[in-house]
């Protein structure tokens, strides 16, 4: 038993690459998840919020200006945008959520704030609701009490002159000293970004999101595992016997790439078939776009897997490095946690992962109904990743003497 322990320990110690990856990468994974969930647990979601003002009331205009200047949430005012344009901005992911300020504080006919919610980012809308109430209570508490008083007046069929005078005095005092009192009322309503159509699209958006997230995650994992045979061939000397000419180098690499591409496409097809018949995700209307995104995702996964394996010298290195690498880029890219919950710097880093673009492409095709021009960016980036990685993976092969 002691001898076995010693042999395995020496094997790990001599393989410095595997030793570094075994102890350094787990700490890196922890740091990534700690950065994501520590901020989320404290309510700091780094939200990007759009704002449209549809009222000329001076109190609400002052409150809107206050919102854009506060440091709690990144709010961008869109003075030249309509409600429809704001909904499109949220739909395209340019904002996590949005708020529309409208109406009059002394009018009891409806809410003063409309929060635009996107199904996969509903937590962002709920967080904005709580933060908006808190800001309103600290900045304009008289608006809350005034609306509550109007609701109460309607229930009791009016106030007496004395009660009305005392209420007016209290509202004036609150306007002068915002911290003196606060009250809450139903001043906020929600508007789904997709409205009521198509049927059940809001409920299926989460399925569409995680279908794309799961697809790219397992395409990366399976491509690395299936491509591990190339490393075994190199260690056993099989590659040298196959590489009898310069043309053989290209045929060997392209053969592996085409196999991983085909395997990835079939895996993506299996996932979306389960989503269609198991969960009712309608893919027929965007079938061509889904097929293109599946091929692009499979190409990126195949190329990246071949590049990773070309950089490893031993099977132990490849197993450790590839597993943790896929875990890291999947966590950063949004396959495990939606990107809007991440800190700003991590959201920027996520744009350099294939996961973020695969999720964006699949979700855009299935839920947002993106056009071919809009899908050109995520699909083109994934295809470019596959091509560049394939070319870089060929460099070690062509350095091998024929």
């Amino acid at each position: 038993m002691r001898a076995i322990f010693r042999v395995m320990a020496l094997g790990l110690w001599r393989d410095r690459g595997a030793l570094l990856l075994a102890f350094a990468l787990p700490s890196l994974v922890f740091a990534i998840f700690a950065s994501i969930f520590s901020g989320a647990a404290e309510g700091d979601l780094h939200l990007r919020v759009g704002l449209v003002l549809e009222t000329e009331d001076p109190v609400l205009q002052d409150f809107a200006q206050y919102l854009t200047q506060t440091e709690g949430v990144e709010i961008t005012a869109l003075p030249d945008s309509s409600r429809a344009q704001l909904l499109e901005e949220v739909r395209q992911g340019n904002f996590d959520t949005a708020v529309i300020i409208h109406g009059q504080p002394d009018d009891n006919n409806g809410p003063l704030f409309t929060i635009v919610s996107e199904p996969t980012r509903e937590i962002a809308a709920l967080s904005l609701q709580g933060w908006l109430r808190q800001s309103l209570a600290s900045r304009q508490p008289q608006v809350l009490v005034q609306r509550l008083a109007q609701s109460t007046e309607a229930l009791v069929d009016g106030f007496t002159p004395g009660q009305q005078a005392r209420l007016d005095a209290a509202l004036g005092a609150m306007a002068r000293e915002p911290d003196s009192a606060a009250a809450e009322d139903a001043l906020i309503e929600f508007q789904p970004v997709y409205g009521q159509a198509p049927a059940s699209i809001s409920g299926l958006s989460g399925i569409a999101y995680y279908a794309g997230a799961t697809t790219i995650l397992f395409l990366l994992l399976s491509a690395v595992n299936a491509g591990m045979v190339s490393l075994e061939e190199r260690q056993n000397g099989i590659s040298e016997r196959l590489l009898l000419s310069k043309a053989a180098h290209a045929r060997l690499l392209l053969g592996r790439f085409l196999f991983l591409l085909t395997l990835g496409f079939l895996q993506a097809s299996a996932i979306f078939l389960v989503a269609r018949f198991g969960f009712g995700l309608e893919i027929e209307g965007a079938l061509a776009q889904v097929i293109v995104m599946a091929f692009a995702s499979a190409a990126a996964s195949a190329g990246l897997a071949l590049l990773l394996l070309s950089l490893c010298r031993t099977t132990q290195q490849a197993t450790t490095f590839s597993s943790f690498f896929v875990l890291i880029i999947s966590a950063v890219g949004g396959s495990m946690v939606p990107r809007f919950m991440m800190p700003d710097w991590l959201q920027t880093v996520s744009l350099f992962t294939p996961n973020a673009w695969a999720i964006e492409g699949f979700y855009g095709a299935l839920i947002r109904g993106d056009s071919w021009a809009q899908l050109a960016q995520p699909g083109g980036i994934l295809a470019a990743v596959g091509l560049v990685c394939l070319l870089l993976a060929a460099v070690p092969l062509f350095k091998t003497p024929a």
Side-chain angles (χ1 to χ4, degrees):
M1 182 173 64
R2 183 180 302 175
I4 294 176
F5 179 87
R6 183 173 180 275
V7 169
M8 296 182 67
L10 287 175
L12 178 61
W13 176 256
R14 290 168 181 167
D15 193 344
R16 299 302 173 87
L19 183 65
L20 178 64
L21 296 172
F23 290 98
L25 282 179
S27 301
L28 181 58
V29 172
F30 163 75
I32 292 174
F33 279 101
S35 299
I36 296 173
F37 289 109
S38 62
E42 296 169 1
D44 185 11
L45 292 180
H46 309 276
L47 300 180
R48 298 168 301 158
V49 180
L51 185 149
V52 167
L53 190 63
E54 294 182 346
T55 179
E56 298 180 357
D57 183 81
V59 174
L60 294 181
Q61 288 182 341
D62 176 73
F63 182 64
Q65 185 177 5
Y66 165 76
L67 293 179
T68 59
Q69 296 174 350
T70 185
E71 298 180 355
V73 177
E74 180 186 343
I75 293 186
T76 303
L78 304 174
D80 299 325
S81 298
S82 64
R83 181 180 293 236
Q85 291 172 326
L86 183 64
L87 264 65
E88 182 62 23
E89 292 282 347
V90 177
R91 187 181 296 112
Q92 293 298 329
N94 297 326
F95 295 111
D96 299 317
T97 183
V99 58
I100 304 169
I101 303 178
H102 53 88
Q104 302 290 331
D106 56 356
D107 186 0
N108 196 31
N109 291 330
L112 300 178
F113 305 93
T114 298
I115 294 179
V116 180
S117 63
E118 207 279 342
T120 59
R121 301 189 292 272
E122 189 173 356
I123 188 175
L126 295 175
S127 298
L128 178 62
Q129 180 191 29
W131 180 82
L132 196 60
R133 282 191 173 279
Q134 182 181 8
S135 300
L136 190 62
S138 62
R139 181 71 177 181
Q140 302 288 355
Q142 76 278 10
V143 175
L144 294 171
V145 175
Q146 184 176 15
R147 182 55 63 88
L148 180 60
Q150 290 171 346
S151 301
T152 305
E153 182 181 10
L155 291 174
V156 300
D157 198 21
F159 294 135
T160 65
Q163 291 173 332
Q164 188 64 50
R166 288 193 295 274
L167 176 61
D168 293 339
L171 293 175
M174 288 181 185
R176 293 189 297 270
E177 301 179 11
D179 296 332
S180 60
E184 292 190 0
D185 187 27
L187 298 176
I188 303 172
E189 66 176 356
F190 287 90
Q191 179 176 350
V193 71
Y194 298 110
Q196 303 299 324
S200 305
I201 193 171
S202 296
L204 294 175
S205 60
I207 297 173
Y209 178 92
Y210 281 105
T214 304
T215 295
I216 187 62
L217 169 60
F218 281 96
L219 257 60
L220 288 167
L221 287 173
S222 62
V224 170
N225 290 330
M228 201 78 72
V229 66
S230 63
L231 193 60
E232 296 173 354
E233 290 175 353
R234 191 193 316 165
Q235 290 178 322
N236 296 332
I238 299 176
S239 295
E240 284 73 10
R241 293 193 293 271
L242 292 175
L243 300 175
L244 301 178
S245 65
K246 291 296 183 182
H249 290 272
R251 289 198 297 269
L252 179 64
L253 188 63
L254 286 176
R256 292 168 178 167
F257 179 80
L258 290 176
F259 171 76
L260 296 179
L261 176 67
T262 304
L263 177 63
F265 175 76
L266 293 177
Q267 288 178 316
S269 301
I271 291 174
F272 279 95
L273 285 174
V274 172
R276 172 63 184 93
F277 296 105
F279 297 91
L281 179 63
E282 297 181 0
I283 63 176
E284 294 88 345
L287 184 59
Q289 291 90 332
V290 171
I291 290 175
V292 170
M293 284 304 305
F295 271 116
S297 300
S301 301
L304 192 57
L306 292 175
L307 175 60
L308 291 177
L309 295 173
S310 70
L311 300 175
C312 297
R313 292 181 299 174
T314 66
T315 304
Q316 187 175 7
Q317 278 186 6
T319 302
T320 306
F321 179 71
S322 60
S323 298
F324 279 107
F325 180 80
V326 171
L327 177 62
I328 289 172
I329 66 172
S330 297
V332 173
S335 287
M336 301 179 183
V337 181
R339 291 175 54 242
F340 78 89
M341 297 181 65
M342 302 177 184
D344 292 336
W345 67 270
L346 203 53
Q347 292 188 36
T348 302
V349 173
S350 69
L351 297 177
F352 294 90
T353 67
N355 303 67
W357 295 108
I359 294 171
E360 180 72 13
F362 282 118
Y363 191 82
L366 290 168
I367 300 300
R368 293 197 302 262
D370 286 354
S371 64
W372 285 107
Q374 291 172 314
L375 290 176
Q377 184 182 28
I381 289 176
L382 290 172
V385 168
L387 178 60
V388 171
C389 290
L390 178 62
L391 295 176
L392 293 176
V395 173
L397 285 178
F398 281 89
K399 287 183 177 180
T400 304

